[in-house]
Amino acid sequence: LYTAPDSCEGRCGEPFSEEDECHCHPECVTHRNCCEDHERHCGPNGFSSSRDSITDQELLELSEQLYELDHNKARPSDIALNPQHLAAPDETGDKQDLSPHPLYKYVNEELFSKPTYARFIKLLDNYQRATGREEEVTAEELREQDGFLVEVMETELMKKLFVFLKGKNRYSSQQEFLQDLKEMWFGLYSRGDGERDSSGFEHVFSGEVKKGKVSGFHNWIRFYLLEKQGIVNYFSHNFNGPWDTYPDVLGLQFSWDGFYKEVGSAFIGSSPEFEFGIYSLCFLAWPGRACHLSLGGHPLSIQTYPWTKSTYGNGRRFIATAYVMSP
């Protein structure tokens, strides 16, 4: 199942929320604010049922389990950060470099030889960052996508996520799950002038430039590698999460080849499979809405949005963006 924000697929019986575009709880019939497909999915003979919807409590419990299963995350000794200037809310748009030193003092690059990291890093140079320019995907790049997906599915974390989603009737087999991940993350669509110039993976993990600004770019590994090359310049941070181990969360300001990111956010020290899995979970559970999780006893929210202008498969939507929300 794909749970679109304007559909009741997988949402029957969920609690009322003012954030929702339309509703799927039984009272929506009385209030005349049901989604158009409410009867088809939630009526007496409907395909979906309340037991297949993903509850807030299940998200809290599952996110803690995935957090514990992130065996490839950085240890505290693997990364040393230098956050420097804490920007006030009225400073984030100033485009002033208020931190003279790099964000990363040290990263243990042995992390990058782990299979999921190595596969992930291979994907990062596959994209033209400017929107409006069609992406040309080579056979080698398609093999790199498949290699990454197969590798992350070998991890306990992604296996746990699949078992949960299968139990919610989202997927019947691991192969179906893998194929859908490939489409939703790597499928191409147009952010520009009709050219197939973007994908969820490019936007979230590699980053794009649109209308003179950095768009997306929410990954710590990508940031570190480009900062090391002198291509990214760290300016300041506006949020530093409460975690004293990794993954942590940082809200930050930076420039990328002169293009500015006013308010960015990223997990720090998480494995590629953790970010990929947690963003996928939130996109499938609450697309277009805040997804409330718990990591190590601390609350956390992730925002995802579906791309609404084109679809794949049977009306499923690509990922437009996914990012961790900082207060």
mmCIF file of all heavy atoms in Angstrom, residues 143-163:
data_model
loop_
_atom_site.group_PDB
_atom_site.id
_atom_site.type_symbol
_atom_site.label_atom_id
_atom_site.label_comp_id
_atom_site.label_asym_id
_atom_site.label_seq_id
_atom_site.Cartn_x
_atom_site.Cartn_y
_atom_site.Cartn_z
ATOM 1 N N ARG A 143 23.401 -0.156 -11.766
ATOM 2 C CA ARG A 143 23.991 -1.245 -10.971
ATOM 3 C C ARG A 143 24.355 -0.750 -9.575
ATOM 4 O O ARG A 143 24.203 -1.488 -8.585
ATOM 5 C CB ARG A 143 25.228 -1.812 -11.678
ATOM 6 C CG ARG A 143 24.907 -2.703 -12.880
ATOM 7 C CD ARG A 143 26.116 -3.482 -13.354
ATOM 8 N NE ARG A 143 27.130 -2.607 -13.937
ATOM 9 C CZ ARG A 143 27.173 -2.266 -15.235
ATOM 10 N NH1 ARG A 143 26.244 -2.720 -16.066
ATOM 11 N NH2 ARG A 143 28.133 -1.490 -15.692
ATOM 12 N N GLU A 144 24.824 0.495 -9.483
ATOM 13 C CA GLU A 144 25.162 1.061 -8.174
ATOM 14 C C GLU A 144 23.916 1.227 -7.307
ATOM 15 O O GLU A 144 23.956 0.987 -6.097
ATOM 16 C CB GLU A 144 25.882 2.401 -8.351
ATOM 17 C CG GLU A 144 27.290 2.245 -8.898
ATOM 18 C CD GLU A 144 27.972 3.572 -9.209
ATOM 19 O OE1 GLU A 144 27.334 4.633 -9.054
ATOM 20 O OE2 GLU A 144 29.149 3.547 -9.613
ATOM 21 N N GLN A 145 22.806 1.622 -7.914
ATOM 22 C CA GLN A 145 21.541 1.716 -7.163
ATOM 23 C C GLN A 145 21.140 0.348 -6.618
ATOM 24 O O GLN A 145 20.795 0.200 -5.438
ATOM 25 C CB GLN A 145 20.434 2.263 -8.065
ATOM 26 C CG GLN A 145 20.618 3.705 -8.488
ATOM 27 C CD GLN A 145 19.586 4.150 -9.515
ATOM 28 O OE1 GLN A 145 18.609 3.435 -9.780
ATOM 29 N NE2 GLN A 145 19.791 5.306 -10.100
ATOM 30 N N ASP A 146 21.171 -0.653 -7.491
ATOM 31 C CA ASP A 146 20.791 -2.007 -7.079
ATOM 32 C C ASP A 146 21.732 -2.534 -6.001
ATOM 33 O O ASP A 146 21.288 -3.166 -5.029
ATOM 34 C CB ASP A 146 20.801 -2.957 -8.275
ATOM 35 C CG ASP A 146 19.674 -2.667 -9.267
ATOM 36 O OD1 ASP A 146 18.662 -2.082 -8.849
ATOM 37 O OD2 ASP A 146 19.824 -3.027 -10.450
ATOM 38 N N GLY A 147 23.035 -2.253 -6.156
ATOM 39 C CA GLY A 147 24.017 -2.713 -5.179
ATOM 40 C C GLY A 147 23.771 -2.113 -3.804
ATOM 41 O O GLY A 147 23.864 -2.807 -2.781
ATOM 42 N N PHE A 148 23.435 -0.834 -3.778
ATOM 43 C CA PHE A 148 23.135 -0.175 -2.508
ATOM 44 C C PHE A 148 21.895 -0.775 -1.859
ATOM 45 O O PHE A 148 21.886 -1.095 -0.660
ATOM 46 C CB PHE A 148 22.937 1.329 -2.741
ATOM 47 C CG PHE A 148 22.420 2.067 -1.534
ATOM 48 C CD1 PHE A 148 23.236 2.307 -0.442
ATOM 49 C CD2 PHE A 148 21.106 2.512 -1.488
ATOM 50 C CE1 PHE A 148 22.747 2.974 0.684
ATOM 51 C CE2 PHE A 148 20.618 3.187 -0.375
ATOM 52 C CZ PHE A 148 21.450 3.414 0.711
ATOM 53 N N LEU A 149 20.841 -0.951 -2.636
ATOM 54 C CA LEU A 149 19.590 -1.485 -2.090
ATOM 55 C C LEU A 149 19.771 -2.899 -1.549
ATOM 56 O O LEU A 149 19.282 -3.226 -0.459
ATOM 57 C CB LEU A 149 18.499 -1.456 -3.160
ATOM 58 C CG LEU A 149 17.993 -0.066 -3.540
ATOM 59 C CD1 LEU A 149 17.163 -0.129 -4.817
ATOM 60 C CD2 LEU A 149 17.165 0.533 -2.413
ATOM 61 N N VAL A 150 20.479 -3.727 -2.287
ATOM 62 C CA VAL A 150 20.719 -5.104 -1.829
ATOM 63 C C VAL A 150 21.531 -5.089 -0.536
ATOM 64 O O VAL A 150 21.250 -5.843 0.408
ATOM 65 C CB VAL A 150 21.437 -5.915 -2.923
ATOM 66 C CG1 VAL A 150 21.952 -7.232 -2.365
ATOM 67 C CG2 VAL A 150 20.497 -6.175 -4.099
ATOM 68 N N GLU A 151 22.537 -4.203 -0.480
ATOM 69 C CA GLU A 151 23.398 -4.139 0.700
ATOM 70 C C GLU A 151 22.636 -3.679 1.939
ATOM 71 O O GLU A 151 22.778 -4.251 3.016
ATOM 72 C CB GLU A 151 24.579 -3.191 0.436
ATOM 73 C CG GLU A 151 25.767 -3.391 1.350
ATOM 74 C CD GLU A 151 26.422 -4.758 1.185
ATOM 75 O OE1 GLU A 151 26.898 -5.073 0.077
ATOM 76 O OE2 GLU A 151 26.441 -5.503 2.187
ATOM 77 N N VAL A 152 21.813 -2.640 1.799
ATOM 78 C CA VAL A 152 21.081 -2.170 2.989
ATOM 79 C C VAL A 152 20.060 -3.205 3.443
ATOM 80 O O VAL A 152 19.793 -3.334 4.648
ATOM 81 C CB VAL A 152 20.402 -0.788 2.783
ATOM 82 C CG1 VAL A 152 21.429 0.294 2.545
ATOM 83 C CG2 VAL A 152 19.348 -0.827 1.698
ATOM 84 N N MET A 153 19.508 -3.971 2.502
ATOM 85 C CA MET A 153 18.526 -4.981 2.888
ATOM 86 C C MET A 153 19.160 -6.160 3.619
ATOM 87 O O MET A 153 18.453 -6.988 4.202
ATOM 88 C CB MET A 153 17.749 -5.483 1.669
ATOM 89 C CG MET A 153 16.659 -4.539 1.176
ATOM 90 S SD MET A 153 15.480 -3.997 2.454
ATOM 91 C CE MET A 153 14.827 -5.561 3.028
ATOM 92 N N GLU A 154 20.492 -6.240 3.616
ATOM 93 C CA GLU A 154 21.187 -7.272 4.385
ATOM 94 C C GLU A 154 21.284 -6.906 5.866
ATOM 95 O O GLU A 154 21.658 -7.732 6.686
ATOM 96 C CB GLU A 154 22.598 -7.489 3.810
ATOM 97 C CG GLU A 154 22.627 -8.181 2.463
ATOM 98 C CD GLU A 154 22.097 -9.607 2.537
ATOM 99 O OE1 GLU A 154 22.476 -10.342 3.472
ATOM 100 O OE2 GLU A 154 21.276 -9.978 1.672
ATOM 101 N N THR A 155 20.979 -5.660 6.205
ATOM 102 C CA THR A 155 21.143 -5.220 7.588
ATOM 103 C C THR A 155 19.928 -5.600 8.428
ATOM 104 O O THR A 155 18.809 -5.691 7.926
ATOM 105 C CB THR A 155 21.342 -3.695 7.662
ATOM 106 O OG1 THR A 155 20.148 -3.027 7.212
ATOM 107 C CG2 THR A 155 22.527 -3.256 6.805
ATOM 108 N N GLU A 156 20.178 -5.810 9.726
ATOM 109 C CA GLU A 156 19.080 -6.126 10.641
ATOM 110 C C GLU A 156 18.050 -5.009 10.664
ATOM 111 O O GLU A 156 16.846 -5.248 10.779
ATOM 112 C CB GLU A 156 19.633 -6.338 12.057
ATOM 113 C CG GLU A 156 20.267 -7.675 12.308
ATOM 114 C CD GLU A 156 20.588 -7.847 13.784
ATOM 115 O OE1 GLU A 156 19.631 -7.921 14.590
ATOM 116 O OE2 GLU A 156 21.783 -7.876 14.125
ATOM 117 N N LEU A 157 18.529 -3.788 10.555
ATOM 118 C CA LEU A 157 17.649 -2.622 10.624
ATOM 119 C C LEU A 157 16.603 -2.659 9.516
ATOM 120 O O LEU A 157 15.395 -2.519 9.771
ATOM 121 C CB LEU A 157 18.506 -1.360 10.530
ATOM 122 C CG LEU A 157 17.858 0.010 10.725
ATOM 123 C CD1 LEU A 157 18.924 1.010 11.185
ATOM 124 C CD2 LEU A 157 17.194 0.528 9.463
ATOM 125 N N MET A 158 17.038 -2.857 8.285
ATOM 126 C CA MET A 158 16.088 -2.856 7.168
ATOM 127 C C MET A 158 15.222 -4.109 7.154
ATOM 128 O O MET A 158 14.065 -4.072 6.725
ATOM 129 C CB MET A 158 16.842 -2.699 5.850
ATOM 130 C CG MET A 158 17.408 -1.307 5.624
ATOM 131 S SD MET A 158 16.154 -0.004 5.506
ATOM 132 C CE MET A 158 15.439 -0.363 3.891
ATOM 133 N N LYS A 159 15.757 -5.220 7.641
ATOM 134 C CA LYS A 159 14.938 -6.438 7.741
ATOM 135 C C LYS A 159 13.808 -6.239 8.754
ATOM 136 O O LYS A 159 12.682 -6.685 8.538
ATOM 137 C CB LYS A 159 15.810 -7.626 8.122
ATOM 138 C CG LYS A 159 16.707 -8.111 6.986
ATOM 139 C CD LYS A 159 17.604 -9.258 7.417
ATOM 140 C CE LYS A 159 18.471 -9.728 6.251
ATOM 141 N NZ LYS A 159 19.430 -10.787 6.651
ATOM 142 N N LYS A 160 14.125 -5.543 9.856
ATOM 143 C CA LYS A 160 13.106 -5.246 10.863
ATOM 144 C C LYS A 160 12.023 -4.345 10.276
ATOM 145 O O LYS A 160 10.825 -4.565 10.502
ATOM 146 C CB LYS A 160 13.767 -4.554 12.059
ATOM 147 C CG LYS A 160 12.799 -4.118 13.152
ATOM 148 C CD LYS A 160 12.247 -5.307 13.901
ATOM 149 C CE LYS A 160 11.354 -4.880 15.055
ATOM 150 N NZ LYS A 160 10.804 -6.044 15.776
ATOM 151 N N LEU A 161 12.446 -3.332 9.510
ATOM 152 C CA LEU A 161 11.484 -2.431 8.881
ATOM 153 C C LEU A 161 10.585 -3.190 7.922
ATOM 154 O O LEU A 161 9.357 -2.990 7.918
ATOM 155 C CB LEU A 161 12.224 -1.314 8.137
ATOM 156 C CG LEU A 161 11.353 -0.341 7.342
ATOM 157 C CD1 LEU A 161 10.340 0.354 8.248
ATOM 158 C CD2 LEU A 161 12.220 0.679 6.616
ATOM 159 N N PHE A 162 11.152 -4.091 7.122
ATOM 160 C CA PHE A 162 10.343 -4.856 6.182
ATOM 161 C C PHE A 162 9.317 -5.732 6.902
ATOM 162 O O PHE A 162 8.145 -5.781 6.516
ATOM 163 C CB PHE A 162 11.218 -5.736 5.282
ATOM 164 C CG PHE A 162 10.424 -6.778 4.543
ATOM 165 C CD1 PHE A 162 9.518 -6.409 3.563
ATOM 166 C CD2 PHE A 162 10.539 -8.128 4.872
ATOM 167 C CE1 PHE A 162 8.737 -7.364 2.906
ATOM 168 C CE2 PHE A 162 9.773 -9.083 4.217
ATOM 169 C CZ PHE A 162 8.873 -8.700 3.233
ATOM 170 N N VAL A 163 9.746 -6.412 7.966
ATOM 171 C CA VAL A 163 8.819 -7.284 8.712
ATOM 172 C C VAL A 163 7.651 -6.467 9.243
ATOM 173 O O VAL A 163 6.485 -6.902 9.191
ATOM 174 C CB VAL A 163 9.566 -8.005 9.857
ATOM 175 C CG1 VAL A 163 8.568 -8.667 10.820
ATOM 176 C CG2 VAL A 163 10.524 -9.047 9.294
#
